[in-house]
Structures are given as structure tokens and as C-alpha cells.
Amino acid sequence: MFAYILRRLLLIIPTLLGIMVINFALVQFVPGGPIEQIIANLEGEGDALRGITGSGDAGQSAQDTGGGGGAADERYIGARGLPPEFIAELEKQFGFDKPPLERFLDMMGRYLRFDFGQSWFRSISVVDLVIEKMPVSITLGLWSTLLAYLISIPLGIRKAVRDGTPFDTWTSGAIIIGYAIPGFLFAVLLIVVFAGGSYWRIFPLRGLVSDNFWDLSLAAKIGDYFWHITLPVVASTISSFATLTLLTKNSFLDEINKQYVLTARAKGLGEASVLYRHVFRNAMLIVIAGFPGLFLSVLFGGGLLIEVLFSLDGLGRMGYEAVVQRDYPVVFGTLYAFGLMGLVVNILSDLTYVLVDPRIDFGKRAG
């Protein structure tokens, strides 16, 4: 098993390098880099980018660049009225005076030391920016994953036991409908019905907590927190809930039809004992082992529209704004960190399989 883990850890290096190389190369062909946007802002011909940091911040993050650059002012739209010396100074501050390969090597060298630099358009480091946005994403990811498991596992077991009955039929229809509805569309429905859109105003429409949160008692803070997160968590859970329920049902059906279950029933064991003492552990193997991956996917994937609809400032909105503004230190820094985290979580998922069922040995299979 140690050899298997070592091989997986070593594979992280080329995989992560490939992710960074491909994305860095693609960015070279994306028009409208940070310098172009700054020039357009100065000329009044583009979207205003507020909060641009000084030359010190730009110089500190100069190696985190992904777009192209050059000394000729003709490369930039709207630059005709600006001195070439000014454009050359901008390129130097942002690191575009260096060849792409040198910029990439400098960037990866600092990332290996977990030095992600500073955001170009905010006076804050990339790490501090991620930490600032993380509570919202952790809230959505953690509670959505827990809610999905708390509902899906009992429902999936019940559907497996009553396979083919009317209960299984209508719940399957409801699950398929839930899976087909995008999370953001379901969020709009929740807002219209329960957040004062057209009917009841039961839940708040925006924010993670109330404005007077710190003035409340401990019990009131807990209640206020759950009051605010109810709708966004429910909207984030809808798709994972449907997938997990069907996965649980199919896993239990597969185990129920095996020989050891028939033998246990033949020995006179009760149905509950057979189901929860024998079938449960084997059937839940794939479901429990998938917890790290499911949490990570809910945490970092598909949260942008949910955050926008409920006015939550999390990682999804941060990533979108960084791409729009061409804030490459944030884009590549988070890509590197989250890509590394995802690869490590895949290894943890394999280890979870072994912890749930020691009979699994990935080392022997790999050999």
C-alpha cells in the first residue's frame, strides 16, 4: 500500500504541471489583458477597474502573469494617446517585459514555495483573499454535503428495500426531476416562494448573517446563521442529493442479491439484522468513500450563480471576478492550490476505501 501511495503522490507532479502549462498557454491567446484594460480605463474606452494597486504591489506579483506583452504601444487598443514610456513601465511592473517561458518558470518556482503573491487589483495577498472568501464556500460545501448524505442514504436504502413498488416509482420520478433542475434555477424558485419574491418572506434574501450578528447572544447567532444559509444550502444540495440517492439504492440492490445475504436469511436472521449488520457495510463502501470528492466538488464547483443570487461573497464570485479583470495572480494561484487539493483528495478517497473495507488492497491491484 505504501508503494501505491508513493506512486500516486509522484503522479501529482506531472498532473499539476500539465494543468498549469495548458492554462498558462491558453491565456497567451486571450485578448484584453490587464494592461489593455488599464489603458482602456485611462482612455475612457473600457470597463473601469477600481482598486488597482500601486507599483509596489504590481511589482511583487510581476511573475504571476499569463497574458502577452511587448514594448510597442500599437499592441494595445486605446493606447494612442499614452506615451510609449508609460506603457513600457506598465509592462515592467506587471512582468510582461519577460518572455512567457521565463514568467511561467518564475511563477511555478514561487508556487512550489506556496508564495502566491498579491492580487493586482486589490491591496491584499492571494492567500488572504482566499481566506477571506473561504467561510462562505465552506458553509455551502459542508452543509450541502452533510444534508445530501443525511437524506440520500436513508432514502436510497428505503428505495432498495421497496424496489419496484409505487414508493420507489414516485420517489424516482421526483429525484430525476430534482436532478434535471439546475441549482441556480431552483434557487430562483426558492427566492420567489420563500424570500419575498412573490409569496412568503420567511427567509432573508442576502448575506451569510444579519448586520447586527455580533450584538446577538450565542443562541441567537446560531439561529441567525442557519436562518440565512437555509435557502442557498438547499439550492446547492439538489443535484448531489439526487445522484447520491440513486447511487445508494443501486449499491444496496447489488449487495442484496449476493449469496451471503441469502445465506444470512436462510440462517433465520431478521431482515433488519441482515440489512444493517451485513449489507450496510459493503453497500456503503462506495458512498462513504466518495465523501471527500463530493465535498470538494460542492465546495469549489458550480457555486457562482448561487453566490450571486443570494449575495454571498465566496470563492465562486472571487474566481469569476479574477477572470474578468485578468487578475492572473488570483487565477493561477487558486488554480494551483485547488488543483493540488483535488489531486490529494483523490488519494484520500482511495485511503477511505481501505479504512471502510480492509480487504481492499490497491497495492496488490496495481502490481
Side-chain angles (χ1 to χ4, degrees), residues 16 20 63-65 107-108 110-111 114-118 125-127 130 318 322 327-341:
L16 188 59
M20 299 301 296
Q63 285 79 22
D64 281 326
T65 56
M107 181 184 72
M108 293 302 298
R110 292 188 302 103
Y111 285 3
F114 294 98
D115 176 14
F116 300 109
Q118 283 193 308
S125 69
V126 174
V127 173
V130 171
M318 180 199 72
D327 196 346
Y328 292 131
V330 177
V331 173
F332 288 108
T334 54
L335 177 65
Y336 178 89
F338 297 155
L340 178 61
M341 190 180 303

Side-chain angles (χ1 to χ4, degrees), residues 54-65:
S55 61
D57 292 339
Q60 183 173 352
S61 299
Q63 285 79 22
D64 281 326
T65 56

Side-chain angles (χ1 to χ4, degrees), residues 185-308:
L185 187 60
F186 189 63
V188 173
L189 176 63
L190 293 177
I191 291 173
V192 170
V193 177
F194 298 109
S198 299
Y199 297 94
W200 302 285
R201 190 176 184 82
I202 301 175
F203 298 98
L205 180 59
R206 63 184 67 249
L208 199 60
V209 293
S210 299
D211 294 336
N212 63 336
F213 177 79
W214 299 109
D215 298 329
L216 303 175
S217 63
L218 178 60
K221 286 181 179 178
I222 296 175
D224 181 76
Y225 171 73
F226 283 103
W227 183 47
H228 278 78
I229 69 172
T230 297
L231 294 187
V233 166
V234 171
S236 301
T237 307
I238 184 78
S239 60
S240 58
F241 152 74
T243 304
L244 192 57
T245 300
L246 295 178
L247 178 64
T248 303
K249 175 193 173 183
N250 294 333
S251 181
F252 266 80
L253 283 177
D254 184 58
E255 292 295 326
I256 287 174
N257 296 323
K258 289 185 177 180
Q259 185 64 41
Y260 75 91
V261 176
L262 299 177
T263 303
R265 287 171 175 167
K267 291 181 178 180
L269 295 179
E271 190 65 24
S273 178
V274 172
L275 187 62
Y276 292 102
R277 290 182 57 188
H278 296 274
V279 176
F280 185 83
R281 180 176 180 180
N282 295 326
M284 291 304 298
L285 172 63
I286 189 173
V287 178
I288 295 176
F291 179 86
L294 178 61
F295 171 69
L296 199 67
S297 65
V298 176
L299 179 62
F300 298 125
L304 171 61
L305 294 177
I306 300 296
E307 292 177 7
V308 171

